[in-house]
Amino acid sequence: MLVLDMLIKPASGLCNIDCEYCFYKDIMKHRKVTNYGHMTRETLENIVKKAYEETDLQVTFSFQGGEPLLVGYKFYQDFFEFIDKYNVNKISTNVSVQTNGLLLTEELTSLFKKYNVLVGISLDGPAQIHDLYRYDYQKHPTYSHVLNAIELLQKYNVEFHILTVLTKNVARNITEIYEFYKEQGFSYIQFIEVMDKNLCQSGRERYSLNNKDYYIFLKDLFTLWYHDFMNGKYISIRLFDSIIQNLLGNLQVLPCFYLGRCQNQRVIETNGNIYPCDFYCLDEYYLGNINEVGFKDINEAPLLKDFIQESLELPNECKQCPYLRLCRNGCKRYRINNKYYYCEAITRFYDNNLPKFKKVVEKISKIYSENKENASMIMDK
C-alpha cells in the first residue's frame, strides 16, 4: 500500500464524561462485548510494526474513543517509541487525537507538541449550549474544563481544531456559536450531525436534528461564513471546504461522507479487532484482528467489499437529482430505506446557495492562478 490510515480506540468506549448523545455508547450496546478496556502494549506495537511493514509513502494514526487519553501518558510515550523503532524507511507519518480535553496535562501536551500531533477538541459552543448534553457522570458541566484544555494547547502551540456535534440546539443557535468561535480565534471547525439511538435516525431524541433544523443551520452558518470569506476572513468549516473541493474537482481529498461511498477506515478496537467504519464497530462487520492478520489481508476481506458495494446503491430519485455530484445520497449511516435522511434540507440549501459557492470557487481559482503565475515568474528569474 502507498498510503495507510487507521482509527485506533485505545480505551474502547470508556469515557470520563457521559454525553447524552454519544453514538459509540449506543453502538457498544448492540454487540456481544460492549467494552474491551485498555489496549495492551503488545497490540499497540503490532499496529505500528505492521503499519510500517506494509506501507510505502504515508501512515496516519488517529486516536479516538470513548476518551483516548484515559490510557495515559505512558501509552503515547510507548507509541512514539514504537514509531522510532519501526519507521526505518522514514515514511511520512501523521498523528491525531480526538479528545474532550479534560485529561490533557502539561506532560501530554508537551509530548503532542514534540511529535506534531493534531488535536481535535470536542466543544459544542458557549457554556449554556455545550453543557446541555456534555456533562460528567455526576451531571456536572464540562465547559470550563474544555476551555482550560484549549488554553493549554495554545500555550504549547499545539495545532488543534474544534469538533462540534450538530444537535437541534446547536442548529438553532448557530449564529451565537459561530460568533463565539470567531471571538475565541478558532480557525478550523468541524460539525458532525448527531446520531440517534438504535442505529437509526428516528428523530425521537430530545437532541435529534430534523430537516428543518438542518436547513436553518446550513442557511445561517453559510450566510455568516460567506460574508466573512468574501471580505477576506477565511474560517475553515469542513462541510463548506468539502463542497468547494468537490466543485473544484478535487474528489481525492474528500472524506467518504461527501462521496456517498463507504471506505475502509480500519477502526481498531482495544483488543485489536478491526472494523470498516467508526459507525459500524459491530460484530457483523468484524474484519479480523491486527494481532493475527495484516492490513493488506483486511483490505481483501470479502465482507469489506460487500460493505462498500452496499453504499453505492442509489435511489432512482438520486439519479435524477441535479445535486447528485455534491451529495451522492450522503453517508450510509444517515440513510433510511437507502435514502439520505437530510435530502430535503440539503436540496433546499443548494437551491438557494449554489451560485454563491460558485463565486467562492471562482475567487479561490483566481487566487491560485495568480499565485501560480507569480511563483513561475520567480522561478524564471
Side-chain angles (χ1 to χ4, degrees):
M1 290 178 288
L2 296 178
V3 176
L4 175 66
D5 55 83
M6 69 203 73
L7 193 156
I8 305 168
K9 292 183 174 291
S12 193
L14 294 171
C15 193
N16 55 327
I17 64 175
D18 189 27
C19 300
E20 183 175 337
Y21 53 56
C22 179
F23 82 89
Y24 207 69
K25 280 194 301 185
D26 184 50
I27 283 178
M28 292 191 299
K29 294 176 182 177
H30 291 82
R31 62 192 191 194
K32 290 181 180 179
V33 179
T34 57
N35 200 297
Y36 293 98
H38 286 191
M39 183 173 285
T40 65
R41 194 173 189 273
E42 178 185 13
T43 297
L44 178 64
E45 184 170 9
N46 280 335
I47 292 171
V48 177
K49 181 175 182 292
K50 292 182 180 182
Y52 289 114
E53 287 177 347
E54 302 183 44
T55 314
D56 296 318
L57 292 181
Q58 186 181 79
V59 177
T60 298
F61 301 97
S62 300
F63 292 92
Q64 289 193 16
E67 173 48 54
L69 299 191
L70 280 170
V71 292
Y73 176 84
K74 183 64 166 58
F75 177 91
Y76 291 99
Q77 186 180 52
D78 289 345
F79 168 69
F80 289 115
E81 288 178 359
F82 290 145
I83 289 179
D84 292 338
K85 178 180 179 180
Y86 292 110
N87 190 12
V88 293
N89 294 322
K90 305 301 179 184
I91 294 171
S92 175
T93 302
N94 302 310
V95 181
S96 66
V97 176
Q98 181 62 45
T99 174
N100 59 43
L102 274 66
L103 297 176
L104 267 179
T105 61
E106 296 263 355
E107 192 176 35
L108 260 175
T109 308
S110 177
L111 185 71
F112 290 164
K113 176 60 180 178
K114 179 180 178 180
Y115 289 98
N116 298 314
V117 176
L118 171 63
V119 177
I121 290 286
S122 297
L123 177 69
D124 285 356
Q128 70 276 14
I129 300 173
H130 173 92
D131 288 332
L132 183 61
Y133 303 120
R134 300 187 65 83
Y135 37 71
D136 65 19
Y137 285 90
Q138 288 74 45
K139 304 301 180 184
H140 297 148
T142 61
Y143 170 81
S144 61
H145 300 293
V146 178
L147 265 290
N148 289 338
I150 291 174
E151 290 178 3
L152 194 56
L153 293 171
Q154 292 171 329
K155 174 183 176 181
Y156 281 85
N157 292 316
V158 174
E159 187 176 355
F160 70 94
H161 67 260
I162 301 296
L163 187 149
T164 298
V165 177
L166 179 54
T167 60
K168 179 188 297 290
N169 197 49
V170 166
R172 295 180 178 182
N173 292 279
I174 191 57
T175 297
E176 179 182 355
I177 292 170
Y178 181 79
E179 295 299 338
F180 168 72
Y181 286 169
K182 281 177 58 179
E183 291 172 7
Q184 295 293 322
F186 301 152
S187 301
Y188 299 91
I189 305 164
Q190 178 182 352
F191 294 91
I192 180 170
E193 295 84 351
V194 69
M195 290 185 176
D196 292 350
K197 295 177 181 176
N198 295 315
L199 310 177
C200 179
Q201 295 300 96
S202 63
R204 297 173 183 173
E205 313 298 337
R206 73 178 184 125
Y207 49 74
S208 293
L209 182 74
N210 59 32
N211 271 273
K212 180 180 179 181
D213 300 321
Y214 194 35
Y215 175 71
I216 290 172
F217 161 80
L218 292 170
K219 173 180 67 69
D220 291 352
L221 180 61
F222 182 70
T223 298
L224 295 164
W225 179 89
Y226 179 77
H227 176 270
D228 284 344
F229 178 86
M230 298 305 285
N231 285 281
K233 300 175 183 177
Y234 170 67
I235 294 178
S236 174
I237 296 177
R238 190 184 188 191
L239 168 62
F240 300 154
D241 290 347
S242 295
I243 293 171
I244 292 165
Q245 292 290 358
N246 197 327
L247 291 171
L248 285 167
N250 299 328
L251 302 185
Q252 72 279 3
V253 304
L254 295 180
C256 54
F257 182 95
Y258 302 105
L259 290 171
R261 172 191 174 94
C262 290
Q263 298 172 342
N264 185 11
Q265 293 185 352
R266 303 175 192 88
V267 182
I268 308 177
E269 254 288 1
T270 300
N271 68 336
N273 283 356
I274 303 177
Y275 304 89
C277 174
D278 197 21
F279 301 156
Y280 290 91
C281 290
L282 300 163
D283 297 335
E284 56 265 40
Y285 296 101
Y286 168 76
L287 299 176
N289 189 291
I290 194 62
N291 295 306
E292 302 168 357
V293 299
F295 289 104
K296 292 181 180 178
D297 300 316
I298 294 298
N299 285 350
E300 299 301 319
L303 191 151
L304 174 62
K305 295 179 181 178
D306 292 341
F307 176 78
I308 294 174
Q309 184 62 37
E310 186 181 271
S311 69
L312 302 180
E313 298 177 7
L314 289 173
N316 288 330
E317 56 193 295
C318 284
K319 297 174 183 178
Q320 308 301 321
C321 178
Y323 308 122
L324 174 60
R325 173 185 168 185
L326 295 171
C327 172
R328 298 177 189 269
N329 204 24
C331 171
K332 184 168 71 173
R333 182 62 171 78
Y334 294 94
R335 295 175 189 172
I336 296 181
N337 297 324
N338 198 34
K339 181 181 178 182
Y340 182 43
Y341 183 73
Y342 298 112
C343 175
E344 177 188 333
I346 202 75
T347 299
R348 186 179 174 191
F349 175 65
Y350 285 136
D351 282 344
N352 295 324
N353 294 285
L354 191 55
K356 290 183 178 179
F357 270 111
K358 291 180 177 179
K359 287 184 179 180
V360 171
V361 168
E362 289 174 3
K363 185 171 183 178
I364 291 174
S365 298
K366 182 179 179 182
I367 293 172
Y368 174 77
S369 178
E370 291 175 349
N371 288 340
K372 187 175 181 181
E373 183 178 338
N374 291 337
S376 297
M377 291 172 63
I378 293 172
M379 291 294 290
D380 290 341
K381 290 179 180 179

